[in-house]
Amino acid sequence: MLDDFMFRALLAGIGLALAAGPLGCFVVWRKMAYFGDATAHAAILGVALSLAFSLSTFIGVLLVAALMAFCIARLSGRMYAIDTLLGVAAHLSLALGLVAVSKLSGVRLDLSSYLFGDILAVSRADIVVVWLGAVLTTALLIWRWEPLLTSTLNPDLAAARGYDVEREQLVLMMSLAVLVAVAIKLVGALLITAILIIPAAAARVFSKTPEQMAVVAIVVGVLAVAGGLGMSLFADTPSGPSIVVVAGLLFLIANVIASAKARSSGRSR
Amino acid sequence: MKNSTSLISTNNVCLHFGNDVVLHDIDFSVEEREIVTLLGPNGSGKSSFLRILIGALQPTGGVVNRRDGLRIGYVPQRLSIDANMPMSVDRFLRLGKSNRGELKSKWVEQVGVADLLSLQVSHLSGGQLQRVMLTHALLADPDILILDEATQGLDQPGEAAFYRLIEQVRKEQGCAVVLVSHDLHVVMSASDRVICLNGHICCEGAPTIVSAAPEYRALFGLGTEGALALYRHDHDHSHDHAPGHAHNHSHDHAHDNTMKHEAKNDAKNDADV
């Protein structure tokens, strides 16, 4: 079964959705969408560096994304507003990455596969890496769930409970870096943030607790991956964008159902 | 004042933001079961001081000692839950692993939030949210309750009712209480000590219980049942070291019906420091 490229793609995509669901919820709750973009754009620089030093792309991207996450976490709020800082860092690292790639002699590189990903081309080794990353970030989030949630809600409340708010933030940043490193091959640098945010946003309307939202986000993510791959297969569309399109459709459907529900319960009252 | 049994004590605590001195030379301690009211005008650094006490902010100078294993129940001034985060009251109360079954049913009952459990926190009214946050703080089984302007937005009967509730849970839990108030003259009557903060500790004393006095009746009506008391500031210094600020008003107020008005002026003057 693993010989079938569709099945491999599905397996890798489910792994990605598993990690992206809960992490995407935190991105949404903490209004970190731009941060996700910055980390993802930095990944292109990581691709260039791994080619230059003959590292695995996963390692190169992970290092650069983690460095980016760490710098932003430390620098934010010092002198510039966070969105200014991210705007500088995100686009600078993307541009630097593109310049570096162009200067690498003897390397023929299909950049578009890193910008948009190619989930249909994942190997067995890629699946192992995706699932390792997914299990690692999910385990980390489950372990730090209460402190992370409390410090997201109110940092002072978390401090009074004895949690180290800055350390929890770092845990989140590093999880995000790992996710970016595993996701870049699948959906590409430009669409990683969509995989984080859209399922979480769709899950919001059905949830009464943060945990429900995280679980529903995983389900939405898995549906989007399956639907997107199906669309790609039958309509011959690019796979990464197709997944995001299906996720967007699910978001719309969720909101239509929720507002219909709200209207009918309003009428019955 | 300080001894080894203090729950929290600070020694020479200072806080600077850049070149601005927010707090300086603060020696402070809270003993077991003590109720301390912390007063100060806006900008007096009292919220920063509270954040230092709970460990959310590191002082730039001085030492903070917390008793080993001290459990803090903290009630923030407000809780702005992002609309993107679903959070039921029931889930909020379990936040931070305070899921002690019998403790929960006891405090949910006593603080009166049983009817709210299935609601979303973002849909609560100000008074409901206050009680939910108090319940959450109590579920930490605290040695000390710390409340930041918990009565802000409540009217005077509401404030008095909240103070009675605090007094009652304090008795039950046997914890110390530190509350911050922006009202410079009306304090919780059960306070053992009132501390007036304005960058440093300006004065310290006990509240005056005047519930029998006719002026008190005129001011508070009959609905407060002695939960509120007045605090008479007795500053032995002036703030003329702050350039451009004339701190020449007296803190000896006649406690009559004009007091509220003067308190407001006070707050404005002191905020200029």
Side-chain angles (χ1 to χ4, degrees), chain B:
Chain B
M1 184 66 67
K2 252 175 300 296
N3 56 56
S4 57
T5 66
S6 294
L7 297 175
I8 304 181
S9 64
T10 71
N11 199 345
N12 270 324
V13 156
C14 301
L15 182 69
H16 302 244
F17 286 139
N19 288 328
D20 298 330
V21 181
V22 182
L23 297 167
H24 62 95
D25 306 313
I26 300 201
D27 292 328
F28 171 85
S29 69
V30 194
E31 312 304 322
E32 277 182 42
R33 308 177 76 94
E34 194 181 23
I35 301 185
V36 179
T37 293
L38 216 55
L39 297 178
N42 292 328
S44 60
K46 59 188 189 303
S47 282
S48 298
F49 184 60
L50 218 58
R51 296 188 65 219
I52 287 175
L53 288 184
I54 63 172
L57 199 60
Q58 292 304 314
T60 43
V63 199
V64 182
N65 285 309
R66 290 181 202 84
R67 202 173 70 180
D68 278 349
L70 183 75
R71 286 190 302 270
I72 299 175
Y74 175 63
V75 180
Q77 193 173 351
R78 55 181 154 260
L79 192 69
S80 48
I81 291 194
D82 189 281
N84 286 323
M85 189 195 278
M87 182 63 80
S88 66
V89 170
D90 189 51
R91 177 65 186 89
F92 175 72
L93 291 181
R94 282 186 279 120
L95 197 64
K97 291 188 193 130
S98 49
N99 190 16
R100 273 165 264 211
E102 79 283 6
L103 207 59
K104 188 176 165 210
S105 48
K106 169 182 155 188
W107 287 123
V108 161
E109 197 60 43
Q110 287 214 3
V111 184
V113 295
D115 296 341
L116 308 176
L117 290 179
S118 65
L119 297 180
Q120 287 287 300
V121 173
S122 51
H123 295 165
L124 298 178
S125 73
Q128 288 172 330
L129 183 59
Q130 220 92 65
R131 277 183 289 143
V132 166
M133 290 194 297
L134 176 64
T135 311
H136 178 254
L138 286 165
L139 289 180
D141 197 14
D143 305 306
I144 181 167
L145 260 184
I146 297 184
L147 304 96
D148 191 1
E149 305 215 10
T151 60
Q152 207 181 39
L154 300 181
D155 56 12
Q156 218 147 49
E159 186 180 7
F162 193 75
Y163 283 157
R164 278 199 301 278
L165 182 62
I166 296 291
E167 222 181 309
Q168 178 198 330
V169 300
R170 202 276 311 230
K171 219 172 277 167
E172 189 103 8
Q173 174 73 15
C175 59
V177 177
V178 173
L179 17 95
V180 158
S181 170
H182 59 287
D183 195 325
L184 292 178
H185 299 275
V186 181
V187 301
M188 180 176 174
S189 61
S191 307
D192 298 303
R193 273 190 299 148
V194 180
I195 291 173
C196 173
L197 194 74
N198 195 359
H200 64 134
I201 292 179
C202 288
C203 65
E204 194 173 334
T208 323
I209 313 288
V210 284
S211 55
E215 296 92 335
Y216 179 89
R217 291 264 171 88
L219 201 55
F220 300 128
L222 294 166
T224 63
E225 293 169 33
L228 302 180
L230 299 173
Y231 177 64
R232 186 185 178 91
H233 292 255
D234 196 7
H235 296 185
D236 54 1
H237 63 279
S238 72
H239 281 190
D240 53 12
H241 53 269
H245 170 58
H247 191 97
N248 52 9
H249 62 278
S250 155
H251 279 282
D252 275 336
H253 304 291
H255 289 145
D256 57 22
N257 288 356
T258 64
M259 193 198 72
K260 274 296 215 188
H261 177 69
E262 286 188 39
K264 253 181 219 133
N265 283 342
D266 249 3
K268 219 185 287 157
N269 282 338
D270 285 353
D272 292 338
V273 173

